[in-house]
Amino acid sequence: MLADCSNLNLGYMEVTKEKVLMAMRKAADGHSNKTEVERMMANADTYSDMVLASIRTGEYRRHLDYRHLTKRNPNGKLRRIKSPKLFPFVLQHLFILLAKPYYDLHDNKNGINCKPGCGITSSDGKNSVIHRLKHLVYDRRDLHYCVIIDQRKCYEHIRPKVFRKAMRRLTDDRELIEFGITVGFVDGRLPIGTPTSPLMHHIVMLEFDLWSKQAAPFSTRYADDCIFATYTKAEANQLKWRVQNFWWYKLQLRAKARAIRIQPLDGDDNGVSFCGNVVRRNPGRGIADHDKGYTTLRQNIRARASRCRNDESWASYYGLMRHADAYNLMLKIEEKMKLRQLTEKIRINRSLDAPNISPRDLAGKQFTIYDYDIKCDSKGTPNWIKCLIGVPEVGEDENPTGRMKAFEFHGSYMYIVEFMTMAERTFGKKNMLPLEEMEIENQCGYIFKGSTNQMEYIDDGGGQTSLFANS
């Protein structure tokens, strides 16, 4: 019986049916068209009871399955992703619902990735990377040097014992901590591609985020990328080593030593490059001046934006460009993306590609079938056909021009599919093509004229006679 599982209290971790249902809705968001998700939401009450029972008995540990994927980022970096299946996906969202309130109580918004209302180009200026970066370079004229540093494979190097220690600063709920380690770690490491990994990384980095605001006049972190600003170069060099020591001795994380940059904020031709944006400070300006500096995109991002070929790619780059001084680049790309100019050099080849025509419009016309393609259902039964046909062209004086206009028709026309399948089995596709003087008619469904046995008379006994039309 599962009725007693509506409210579980494992140690301190209280799991209610309402929270499980919330986790199920979170897991279904954006995936509602998948069959397994539809089945889960259609039986939400039973599924939530099953989840509660598996947590109570610990059985959930045996059903944490992942799909192993490999994807390459636009910058060429190879990502090995572990995508959770539905059941662990629900458990991970459940952990987020249980653990996030503890983290939010202490979050100082130094790290602003993967949080509601936060991001590189968030409309909330307080929680936007680009707004913070512009404020630093344009307005903080008292700061003259910055340190840019990031972590080396941060997810891969976070260990359960480090996460456990970080969680115990937030709560003494051991059941919740162990539950998070079980559903959030795979083979002792944080995987890429799960909803829990960003939150668990934030929890590990929370002590560092609190320290960062005290260690430097300006600090911002986006995932594993960090930027600090200082008054002098000596302070910047000192801060570089303090950050590396903090990560290594407290979090057991490494910095990308070769990627660490210390650079001036004044008069640097290269600008401050962070999260794809390059912000430059114009010298001799005050806080109230208009032309305090300008922002561009990193060179490799500009190059990829110039090569984008569809509206979806352009939309993602537009989100970055609208916060930069890139008006001319935007016009250039929009001009390139005009379909009329794009298709002069880019065309795709599709099988049996020709203007579409409906069988209804072919009724009463003779045509020739030059090629066709038949597809089958999951059981191997032919159920769909696409035909490339030629129809005699007629001039303005209603006389044939001698040329054949190309068309294609396709669909699940069962009698046409059946006839073509039988003909191919009998004669072979190469031997019977082209099929000339073909006609289509609507006889309780579209058929080729003369391709079916139709009764002409019914005898007195109610049975069928042997008088049929020729096939």
Side-chain angles (χ1 to χ4, degrees):
M1 295 295 292
L2 302 177
D4 59 340
C5 298
S6 61
N7 193 346
L8 296 178
N9 194 344
L10 306 180
Y12 293 98
M13 186 179 72
E14 184 176 345
V15 183
T16 64
K17 187 169 184 175
E18 289 73 19
K19 288 181 179 178
V20 174
L21 289 170
M22 288 177 62
M24 291 166 57
R25 287 191 289 268
K26 288 281 188 180
D29 188 22
H31 304 277
S32 57
N33 59 336
K34 296 181 179 179
T35 303
E36 58 179 350
V37 176
E38 291 179 351
R39 190 181 301 117
M40 176 186 73
M41 298 310 296
N43 303 278
D45 190 68
T46 303
Y47 196 93
S48 60
D49 284 340
M50 182 270 292
V51 172
L52 286 167
S54 68
I55 294 174
R56 181 190 63 177
T57 60
E59 184 69 15
Y60 72 92
R61 295 181 178 88
R62 300 175 57 187
H63 303 285
L64 302 177
D65 298 327
Y66 295 83
R67 302 179 184 91
H68 297 265
L69 309 173
T70 301
K71 293 186 178 181
R72 189 175 297 277
N73 287 357
N75 60 4
K77 186 181 293 185
L78 197 66
R79 297 286 191 185
R80 289 178 173 81
I81 297 174
K82 293 181 175 65
S83 177
K85 295 186 179 180
L86 183 59
F87 181 73
F89 197 52
V90 172
L91 294 180
Q92 289 173 356
H93 278 286
L94 177 61
F95 172 74
I96 293 174
L97 291 174
L98 296 171
K100 194 171 183 298
Y102 293 110
Y103 172 78
D104 290 342
L105 287 174
H106 304 279
D107 182 19
N108 63 351
K109 290 295 194 298
N110 183 63
I112 51 175
N113 64 291
C114 302
K115 295 179 182 178
C118 301
I120 295 177
T121 58
S122 172
S123 57
D124 185 355
K126 295 183 297 183
N127 299 321
S128 165
V129 172
I130 187 62
H131 279 83
R132 291 186 181 185
L133 202 58
K134 288 181 177 180
H135 173 66
L136 166 64
V137 179
Y138 296 169
D139 301 330
R140 292 299 304 270
R141 299 278 166 163
D142 57 326
L143 301 176
H144 302 287
Y145 284 87
C146 70
V147 182
I148 300 174
I149 184 172
D150 64 338
Q151 296 169 347
R152 182 176 178 271
K153 297 183 179 180
C154 60
Y155 282 3
E156 183 177 339
H157 290 161
I158 290 178
R159 294 293 180 261
K161 65 177 182 179
V162 176
F163 174 75
R164 184 183 289 109
K165 183 178 179 181
M167 276 293 293
R168 291 179 70 173
R169 296 190 187 96
L170 303 179
T171 176
D172 57 354
D173 187 343
R174 294 188 178 183
E175 294 289 347
L176 174 60
I177 296 172
E178 296 307 317
F179 178 71
I181 291 173
T182 303
V183 302
F185 282 85
V186 178
D187 298 328
R189 298 179 179 182
L190 283 184
I192 298 173
T194 63
T196 50
S197 291
L199 175 61
M200 298 175 83
H201 181 249
H202 279 309
I203 291 173
V204 170
M205 296 295 292
L206 179 59
E207 185 182 6
F208 173 75
D209 289 334
L210 298 173
W211 174 85
S212 296
K213 291 297 185 182
Q214 299 176 354
F218 175 90
S219 171
T220 290
R221 178 178 65 84
Y222 188 84
D224 58 349
D225 296 322
C226 302
I227 181 171
F228 301 87
T230 61
Y231 299 105
T232 66
K233 188 175 183 179
E235 291 176 342
N237 276 287
Q238 183 186 58
L239 185 62
K240 177 190 74 170
W241 292 108
R242 293 179 66 190
V243 170
Q244 291 184 84
N245 289 337
F246 192 106
W247 287 354
W248 177 249
Y249 289 106
K250 289 215 176 250
L251 308 179
Q252 298 183 17
L253 296 173
R254 299 177 182 178
K256 292 181 182 177
R258 295 182 180 179
I260 299 174
R261 303 195 305 276
I262 296 177
Q263 62 185 73
L265 297 174
D266 302 300
D268 185 16
D269 294 336
N270 295 325
V272 178
S273 177
F274 189 72
C275 289
N277 297 277
V278 183
V279 185
R280 294 172 174 85
R281 175 183 291 178
N282 286 334
R285 303 295 195 274
I287 295 178
D289 292 338
H290 174 69
D291 187 20
K292 294 182 289 186
Y294 60 98
T295 302
T296 60
L297 294 181
R298 204 166 53 207
Q299 185 174 356
N300 63 337
I301 294 180
R302 292 201 307 268
R304 292 203 302 267
S306 299
R307 294 194 299 266
C308 72
R309 290 292 182 263
N310 55 62
D311 291 341
E312 292 182 1
S313 297
W314 168 237
S316 63
Y317 289 116
Y318 176 77
L320 293 172
M321 288 184 178
R322 70 188 188 95
H323 291 276
D325 299 299
Y327 180 73
N328 289 332
L329 179 60
M330 293 169 69
L331 291 180
K332 180 180 178 181
I333 294 175
E334 286 180 334
E335 189 69 21
K336 277 187 175 182
M337 286 182 60
K338 289 182 179 178
L339 184 62
R340 184 174 60 254
Q341 297 179 5
L342 191 63
T343 54
E344 289 177 359
K345 294 183 178 180
I346 299 176
R347 295 289 180 92
I348 60 175
N349 294 320
R350 298 189 301 179
S351 176
L352 312 182
D353 195 18
N356 176 257
I357 189 171
S358 171
R360 179 179 57 188
D361 299 328
L362 288 173
K365 297 180 181 179
Q366 287 193 349
F367 57 88
T368 300
I369 299 178
Y370 292 97
D371 199 358
Y372 66 91
D373 182 28
I374 295 176
K375 296 189 181 301
C376 302
D377 60 17
S378 59
K379 298 180 180 179
T381 304
N383 68 341
W384 186 89
I385 190 169
K386 182 176 183 178
C387 294
L388 177 65
I389 66 173
V391 179
E393 185 182 54
V394 178
E396 296 180 355
D397 54 356
E398 301 298 322
N399 292 322
T401 63
R403 297 193 301 176
M404 301 291 281
K405 293 198 66 175
F407 293 97
E408 66 86 16
F409 69 88
H410 62 270
S412 300
Y413 307 115
M414 58 182 296
Y415 301 114
I416 293 178
V417 172
E418 184 176 357
F419 175 81
M420 295 297 291
T421 302
M422 294 175 64
E424 181 176 341
R425 290 173 181 170
T426 304
F427 304 103
K429 185 175 181 179
K430 291 183 179 180
N431 296 329
M432 70 179 186
L433 291 178
L435 291 172
E436 300 178 343
E437 298 182 356
M438 303 295 291
E439 288 186 43
I440 283 181
E441 57 184 6
N442 191 351
Q443 296 286 342
C444 297
Y446 291 111
I447 62 172
F448 289 131
K449 186 175 181 181
S451 65
T452 62
N453 294 319
Q454 290 184 327
M455 292 188 300
E456 292 183 355
Y457 303 99
I458 297 177
D459 61 11
D460 295 336
Q464 298 180 2
T465 69
S466 60
L467 299 176
F468 295 100
N470 293 328
S471 59

